[in-house]
Amino acid sequence: MSKTALITGVTGQDGSYLAELLLGKGYHVHGVVRRSSSFNTDRLRPLIGDQPHLHLHYGDLLESGTLTRLIEEVAPDELYNLAAQSHVRVSFDMPVYTADVVHLGTLRLLEAVRAYEKKPIRFYQASSSEMYGQKAEGPLNEDSPFNPRSPYGVAKVAAYHHTRNYREGYGLFVANGILFNHESPRRGETFVTRKITHGLAQILAGRRSHLTLGNLSAKRDWGYAGDYVRAMWQILQQDEPDDYVIATGETRSVQEFLDLACALVERDPAEVVRIDPKHFRPTEVDVLEADPSKAKRELGWEPQVSFEQLTAIMLQADLILAGVDVSGFARLRELAAR
């Protein structure tokens, strides 16, 4: 008998990859879409029409009644909460909205799950490495302390603790996936990795002369979004709910990502990049270094796409989107094809 999953944030990067994964496993997938003047389903376009088991519903994490109604209507076996105002820099400009969606939105969902009595629902909460903020010594794991440095990080910490409290207080199967940075060609263009690959593509297409960035020394653990949604699913297949750090275990700087992307298209970073202080955060997190050993040990999860492959996959996709001929970039095509 096939399972039913409900995904909030289904139109985002992670939501679209997760929907593909679950449909491939025979799930009936229901996604929550915020009502707006435009129907933002570009990432789902390959699935819409071709997948009779994909169903989209209007909903919003700001509305408790809508969430309760959706859960009653869909009756999911699994619920993946991926919806958020997820841009860290934007959270400084919109702190109250970020807290309402990320923190209280999660609480509204948890309450709706607790109130549903027809069958147990397994609940996945998308937690974030931004919860750690300025890190303590050593790689970060499930026991490392949180010290968030942004409104987004603070809201994610609150949602994380709500999730744990509902697990311990009510006996629900609810789990946190503490995901470090994960990217793909579906990443929004305001995030730094996609900003770099999209900007380089526009430069090679002759539409721009340079791209503007902020802090190039910030270091992150970058993986491929397609690998990370597989971990989300694995977390909900365990016998007991728990929390897991999902990451590659390798840390690279923004400068390293930029240098590699430029090298793959034979460009000098110094000639195509301008630094603008407005892109710096008011409180910066300099380094995020992960220890994903628990996930590897207990879930059997391993990332399959390397940092070099990820950079090439993203860059090639943006070059093709911009109409740039990639046939002359042999190393790019070799990495992207792996």
Side-chain angles (χ1 to χ4, degrees):
M1 183 175 178
S2 62
K3 292 182 179 180
T4 298
L6 179 62
I7 305 172
T8 70
V10 72
T11 60
Q13 170 189 255
D14 292 4
S16 64
Y17 279 112
L18 180 60
E20 286 183 8
L21 176 74
L22 296 180
L23 288 167
K25 292 181 178 295
Y27 278 64
H28 291 269
V29 176
H30 295 257
V32 182
V33 179
R34 282 193 305 118
R35 185 180 291 276
S36 65
S37 58
S38 61
F39 204 52
N40 182 26
T41 57
D42 289 351
R43 295 183 178 97
L44 296 174
R45 187 168 292 136
L47 302 177
I48 295 175
D50 294 332
Q51 285 286 353
H53 298 313
L54 174 64
H55 313 276
L56 301 181
H57 308 262
Y58 284 119
D60 198 312
L61 292 190
L62 302 181
E63 299 180 3
S64 297
T66 302
L67 298 176
T68 300
R69 176 184 57 78
L70 272 175
I71 288 175
E72 287 284 343
E73 179 182 333
V74 172
D77 299 290
E78 299 171 4
L79 196 163
Y80 297 84
N81 181 30
L82 310 185
Q85 187 302 101
S86 60
H87 197 287
V88 176
R89 180 63 188 83
V90 171
S91 76
F92 287 98
D93 301 323
M94 305 175 67
V96 176
Y97 175 75
T98 299
D100 204 357
V101 174
V102 175
H103 165 204
L104 294 179
T106 302
L107 182 56
R108 293 182 187 104
L109 266 180
L110 286 167
E111 267 296 284
V113 168
R114 183 174 75 89
Y116 186 72
E117 297 179 345
K118 295 178 182 177
K119 65 178 179 181
I121 298 173
R122 295 193 170 202
F123 180 95
Y124 171 85
Q125 168 60 17
S127 291
S128 168
S129 60
E130 290 291 334
M131 300 189 306
Y132 293 113
Q134 292 293 78
K135 78 175 188 70
E137 291 298 318
L140 298 161
N141 61 31
E142 294 79 6
D143 297 319
S144 300
F146 298 139
N147 181 25
R149 301 279 287 170
S150 67
Y152 171 76
V154 170
K156 279 292 187 183
V157 169
Y160 168 90
H161 284 301
H162 279 309
T163 302
R164 292 198 59 162
N165 284 340
Y166 272 69
R167 180 170 72 220
E168 295 165 6
Y170 301 114
L172 301 180
F173 193 113
V174 293
N176 287 285
I178 307 173
L179 272 59
F180 280 64
N181 293 65
H182 46 290
E183 321 295 314
S184 76
R186 301 179 193 177
R187 193 62 145 147
E189 293 173 11
T190 58
F191 291 85
V192 67
T193 50
R194 183 75 196 288
K195 190 174 183 181
I196 289 170
T197 61
H198 179 263
L200 282 174
Q202 294 300 303
I203 290 169
L204 268 70
R207 301 188 186 109
R208 292 171 57 178
S209 61
H210 65 276
L211 63 100
T212 306
L213 299 173
N215 182 12
L216 299 184
S217 63
K219 292 184 177 181
R220 296 291 185 269
D221 184 315
W222 276 304
Y224 175 56
D227 286 337
Y228 285 47
V229 299
R230 181 165 39 85
M232 297 177 189
W233 176 76
Q234 288 179 264
I235 287 171
L236 291 196
Q237 310 316 305
Q238 301 306 298
D239 292 335
E240 298 293 334
D242 206 347
D243 306 321
Y244 297 89
V245 165
I246 306 299
T248 70
E250 298 180 1
T251 301
R252 308 294 184 107
S253 68
V254 177
Q255 183 74 62
E256 288 178 90
F257 188 96
L258 172 66
D259 289 346
L260 175 57
C262 286
L264 290 174
V265 291
E266 302 170 4
R267 291 295 185 274
D268 182 351
E271 294 181 359
V272 298
V273 173
R274 306 287 185 273
I275 302 299
D276 189 333
K278 76 178 182 181
H279 294 297
F280 284 72
R281 303 176 187 175
T283 50
E284 183 60 87
V285 177
D286 299 317
V287 180
L288 284 172
E289 184 181 1
D291 171 15
S293 57
K294 179 180 176 180
K296 294 180 179 181
R297 181 178 66 253
E298 297 187 9
L299 302 179
W301 177 84
E302 292 276 357
Q304 296 176 350
V305 176
S306 71
F307 174 77
E308 291 76 13
Q309 290 171 308
L310 171 64
T311 307
I313 289 168
M314 293 179 66
L315 183 54
Q316 178 170 274
D318 272 325
L319 289 169
I320 292 172
L321 190 64
V324 176
D325 182 5
V326 300
S327 62
F329 304 122
R331 181 59 175 161
L332 171 71
R333 291 186 295 111
E334 178 188 355
L335 284 170
R338 288 182 180 178

